[in-house]
Amino acid sequence: PAERAWSEKYEAAASLFKIEGDIKIAAGNGGEAEEIARIARWVARQRTLHKQGKLSQEQAVKLNALNTRQDGSRAPAQRRE
């Protein structure tokens, strides 16, 4: 149950990273912008949990992979404007 929910949210984030290259919080309102913002908040929360040592090893590896581009470089950190 909890692992499944984490996996579903991770897959949504991974799909967005694959399409966009990173997660940017879109300006404005609407379904797509709200969904991107929701995913970005989830990723930020997971990074906090990771720093606190509260993710499993598998989750930590997957989370770290989200921020890596195909060429092996790290995606830039998210900025709020």
Side-chain angles (χ1 to χ4, degrees):
E3 180 65 31
R4 182 177 177 191
W6 193 95
S7 293
E8 288 173 357
K9 290 177 182 175
Y10 168 80
E11 290 301 325
S15 293
L16 189 58
F17 267 93
K18 188 174 185 176
I19 293 166
E20 300 293 333
D22 63 358
I23 292 180
K24 299 174 186 172
I25 298 178
N29 295 321
E32 185 175 340
E34 290 173 17
E35 180 66 12
I36 291 169
R38 185 186 64 76
I39 293 169
R41 285 190 303 271
W42 182 84
V43 170
R45 175 71 179 138
Q46 298 313 300
R47 289 187 175 141
T48 298
L49 292 173
H50 176 46
K51 288 178 185 176
Q52 296 172 347
K54 295 181 179 180
L55 294 183
S56 71
Q57 181 68 24
E58 180 183 354
Q59 289 171 332
V61 168
K62 286 181 173 182
L63 187 65
N64 287 332
L66 279 182
N67 203 33
T68 304
R69 295 177 174 158
Q70 287 183 340
D71 65 4
S73 66
R74 301 293 282 181
Q78 296 176 10
R79 288 196 279 168
R80 292 182 179 217
E81 296 183 19

